[in-house]
Amino acid sequence: MAAAISIICNFPLHSHTSIFLNITFPPSHRIRSSKSCFFRFSRICVVSSHTNPKILKPNRRSRYGQPLSPYDSDSDEDDDSFEDEDDDDISTSDDESLDVRVSAQDRQRLKFQNATNIRRDSHHHSEGGSNAKLGHRRQTPEITQDYREKEARGSLAKDRFSHLAEELDLDERWYPLLDYLSTFGFKDSHFIQMYERHMPSLQINKSSAQERLEFLLSVGVKHKDIRKIILRQPQLLEYTVENNLKSHVTFLTSLGIPDSRIGQIITATPSLFSYSVENSLKPTVTYLLEEVGIEKNDLAKVVQLSPQILVQRINTSWTARFNFLTRELNAPRDSIVKMVRKHPQLLHYSIEDGLLPRINFFRSIGMRNSEIVKVLTSITQVFSLSLEGNLKPKYSYLVNELGNEVRSLTKYPMYLSLSLDQRIRPRHMFLVSLKRAPKGPFPLSSLVPTDESFCQQWARTSVDKYLDFRRRLLLKELARKYERR
């Protein structure tokens, strides 16, 4: 009776390849009677768990007939061999045959062994990768720390703005920007205001917003003013540095505005960046020079006094106010131009609620149109003073306490620009206390000079003594106002 033995061979070069041999021995009586012994390879099966999915081809030859490796290369581009399907079987003698079928038991054993090899190699690879990662972390702890800090900041930002997201339709991708803006003092109420006014401004990438705000800081905008600027003009976060911000700053510099004042102008008028330099700002400057009559040397001063003049409809505002002052006061053009040069805010004031009520006040105290024009040309900012809280109390003190007539205002229009509590009343009462106040109308000229000149020329005492008197007087006035409440 024939005996059979199975042999499994593993090739060290290809750790995932096994060859299963089923050898059948002839009966014992044939072995003893025969000088030579033949073994029959009844089953030969090549099983591979190689990572290359291509089928093993054991009889591959090149086009020149040279034997090739049974393994396909990873790339077919350099494979010049031609394969003949008829030659794929192994050459054997007439007594030998190839049976590539594998029994279920052998197949299960091979499957188990291959799976064990794969797990072993996989475990080795995993340990190597893990050790490599750990080694990399040990070599660069600052990267790991930075990553952890970013994760912590992201988690904190998510926790902080989660309740805000419930009120607004916020995307988590906006959180880094909100967190960055918080460094400028932004609170939830400010974000709601920005969302309602211009929601796309909250969708800006944090790095882009940071670049733009850092540019504004570099040209003189104060850190404490960033919040005010963004709340007034949230679109500013969308304006690029190269295509917008720089060109507008260059334009302001071309007008003769010093670098030290650029930040103040931006803070006062952040909407400046929403106007085209070529199509809006430059035409406005041209109109001020050619139509209004502002001298080129005065242009920078005018813009610094009222940056808003660059972003208003200058032709409409100028024409309306020029026609009003000409018709109402018969003011000459030169006087009106001087008013605009000294106080360009004049072009912003309402005619019905600003200019006309103050002109009527001067008329009510007995001033003629020519006198009003003289006062307005000299102190144009009286248009910005409150009637009830400033102009009327000053006039009352002028007449009742200082004993002056209204005509004195045409000689000393500066009186209307001085503070009643900080300048006019303290100096008058200080001279009265020293018994150095002249008889008759109080000289308004004593109210104009500095404290040092006033004490030296009029009071003839030390500045410290006058300042102490003024301090005590102010405290009394505050106490009196508090009692009235």
Side-chain angles (χ1 to χ4, degrees):
M1 181 176 181
I5 184 172
S6 298
I7 301 176
I8 299 175
C9 300
N10 290 325
F11 290 85
L13 182 60
H14 301 282
S15 58
H16 299 307
T17 303
S18 301
I19 297 181
F20 170 74
L21 303 178
N22 192 352
I23 307 175
T24 303
F25 292 88
S28 57
H29 65 277
R30 290 185 59 183
I31 297 178
R32 288 192 299 267
S33 62
S34 176
K35 295 181 180 180
S36 62
C37 181
F38 297 92
F39 304 100
R40 178 177 298 275
F41 291 82
S42 61
R43 290 186 179 89
I44 301 177
C45 179
V46 181
V47 182
S48 174
S49 61
H50 196 274
T51 55
N52 193 327
K54 298 182 179 180
I55 300 175
L56 291 174
K57 299 176 181 178
N59 203 29
R60 297 179 60 207
R61 294 178 180 275
S62 71
R63 65 179 66 183
Y64 304 105
Q66 297 176 347
L68 297 176
S69 170
Y71 300 96
D72 282 351
S73 63
D74 289 340
S75 174
D76 289 331
E77 294 178 358
D78 298 327
D79 188 3
D80 294 331
S81 63
F82 290 88
E83 301 168 0
D84 187 352
E85 294 180 356
D86 295 335
D87 295 333
D88 280 347
D89 293 337
I90 299 176
S91 298
T92 61
S93 63
D94 293 338
D95 296 330
E96 298 170 346
S97 63
L98 177 64
D99 187 356
V100 297
R101 291 174 296 179
V102 182
S103 66
Q105 182 179 2
D106 295 333
R107 186 184 297 109
Q108 185 67 22
R109 183 167 55 255
L110 290 173
K111 181 178 180 181
F112 174 78
Q113 182 175 354
N114 290 334
T116 303
N117 291 336
I118 292 173
R119 284 196 300 271
R120 184 186 303 113
D121 292 340
S122 175
H123 177 69
H124 177 72
H125 177 74
S126 176
E127 286 184 345
S130 176
N131 292 334
K133 290 180 181 178
L134 291 174
H136 178 69
R137 289 178 182 177
R138 287 194 296 268
Q139 293 173 4
T140 58
E142 65 279 0
I143 295 179
T144 303
Q145 181 65 22
D146 182 62
Y147 176 76
R148 290 175 178 172
E149 290 178 356
K150 288 182 179 179
E151 278 192 330
R153 287 196 301 268
S155 179
L156 290 175
K158 186 175 181 179
D159 293 340
R160 176 184 174 186
F161 301 118
S162 59
H163 64 283
L164 186 62
E166 295 176 359
E167 183 173 353
L168 305 176
D169 185 18
L170 296 183
D171 192 310
E172 289 187 7
R173 291 174 295 180
W174 303 357
Y175 291 173
L177 174 62
L178 302 184
D179 190 48
Y180 171 65
L181 293 179
S182 297
T183 63
F184 295 96
F186 282 80
K187 299 180 180 179
D188 289 356
S189 59
H190 300 135
F191 294 133
I192 294 174
Q193 181 179 341
M194 291 176 62
Y195 184 91
E196 293 175 347
R197 185 167 185 179
H198 190 69
M199 185 269 288
S201 63
L202 295 177
Q203 299 176 335
I204 302 302
N205 181 275
K206 174 196 169 183
S207 60
S208 299
Q210 185 172 359
E211 177 190 14
R212 292 153 194 175
L213 295 186
E214 287 180 352
F215 174 81
L216 295 180
L217 293 171
S218 70
V219 297
V221 176
K222 296 180 179 179
H223 188 280
K224 67 181 181 66
D225 292 328
I226 291 292
R227 184 182 67 184
K228 178 172 64 176
I229 290 174
I230 299 302
L231 291 178
R232 291 180 60 186
Q233 190 74 14
Q235 296 91 333
L236 192 62
L237 293 174
E238 303 176 51
Y239 302 150
T240 63
V241 174
E242 295 297 332
N243 298 332
N244 188 301
L245 303 184
K246 279 187 177 181
S247 61
H248 284 72
V249 171
T250 301
F251 165 74
L252 294 175
T253 304
S254 69
L255 300 182
I257 297 173
D259 293 341
S260 60
R261 296 297 303 274
I262 295 294
Q264 299 177 26
I265 292 177
I266 294 174
T267 302
T269 315
S271 61
L272 176 77
F273 294 104
S274 64
Y275 290 83
S276 168
V277 172
E278 298 297 331
N279 300 327
S280 181
L281 300 181
K282 287 185 177 180
T284 296
V285 170
T286 301
Y287 190 90
L288 287 171
L289 296 173
E290 298 179 358
E291 301 298 328
V292 177
I294 301 296
E295 296 292 336
K296 189 173 183 178
N297 295 336
D298 296 325
L299 183 61
K301 178 183 177 182
V302 168
V303 173
Q304 291 179 66
L305 288 174
S306 180
Q308 293 85 356
I309 201 171
L310 293 174
V311 298
Q312 69 178 133
R313 295 181 179 179
I314 187 65
N315 57 337
T316 303
S317 59
W318 161 255
T319 301
R321 284 149 188 80
F322 174 78
N323 292 337
F324 168 77
L325 293 174
T326 301
R327 180 181 67 254
E328 196 71 21
L329 297 174
N330 197 26
R333 182 184 180 91
D334 291 344
S335 296
I336 299 175
V337 173
K338 287 181 181 178
M339 293 181 194
V340 174
R341 185 174 67 246
K342 289 185 175 182
H343 193 70
Q345 293 89 337
L346 169 68
L347 299 178
H348 313 320
Y349 298 150
S350 167
I351 292 176
E352 296 298 327
D353 299 328
L355 305 185
L356 185 58
R358 285 150 185 81
I359 291 175
N360 288 337
F361 164 73
F362 289 125
R363 285 172 175 168
S364 68
I365 63 177
M367 295 182 70
R368 297 188 295 268
N369 285 348
S370 60
E371 294 172 330
I372 296 174
V373 170
K374 184 177 181 180
V375 171
L376 293 178
T377 303
S378 179
I379 307 295
T380 312
Q381 57 263 39
V382 297
F383 280 124
S384 65
L385 301 178
S386 168
L387 282 174
E388 300 298 330
N390 197 302
L391 294 178
K392 288 183 178 181
K394 286 178 183 178
Y395 172 73
S396 177
Y397 197 87
L398 175 72
V399 175
N400 300 323
E401 302 296 333
L402 301 181
N404 279 263
E405 297 181 353
V406 69
R407 299 289 181 269
S408 61
L409 292 178
T410 59
K411 187 176 182 179
Y412 292 101
M414 179 69 69
Y415 172 84
L416 295 173
S417 66
L418 301 175
S419 170
L420 180 60
D421 295 330
Q422 296 284 344
R423 177 74 69 92
I424 299 173
R425 183 181 289 112
R427 290 194 180 186
H428 170 242
M429 297 190 69
F430 186 60
L431 291 180
V432 171
S433 69
L434 296 174
K435 297 182 180 180
R436 292 196 174 115
K439 295 181 180 181
F442 186 82
L444 301 183
S445 58
S446 65
L447 306 175
V448 177
T450 62
D451 290 341
E452 290 78 6
S453 298
F454 166 74
C455 291
Q456 181 180 1
Q457 181 180 353
W458 296 92
R460 295 192 294 275
T461 187
S462 66
V463 176
D464 292 339
K465 189 175 181 179
Y466 165 67
L467 295 178
D468 180 66
F469 176 86
R470 185 177 68 178
R471 181 184 60 81
R472 288 185 281 109
L473 181 64
L474 291 174
L475 290 175
K476 290 180 181 180
E477 290 296 326
L478 289 175
R480 187 179 297 111
K481 291 180 179 178
Y482 181 80
E483 291 176 357
R484 292 174 183 173
R485 295 179 182 179

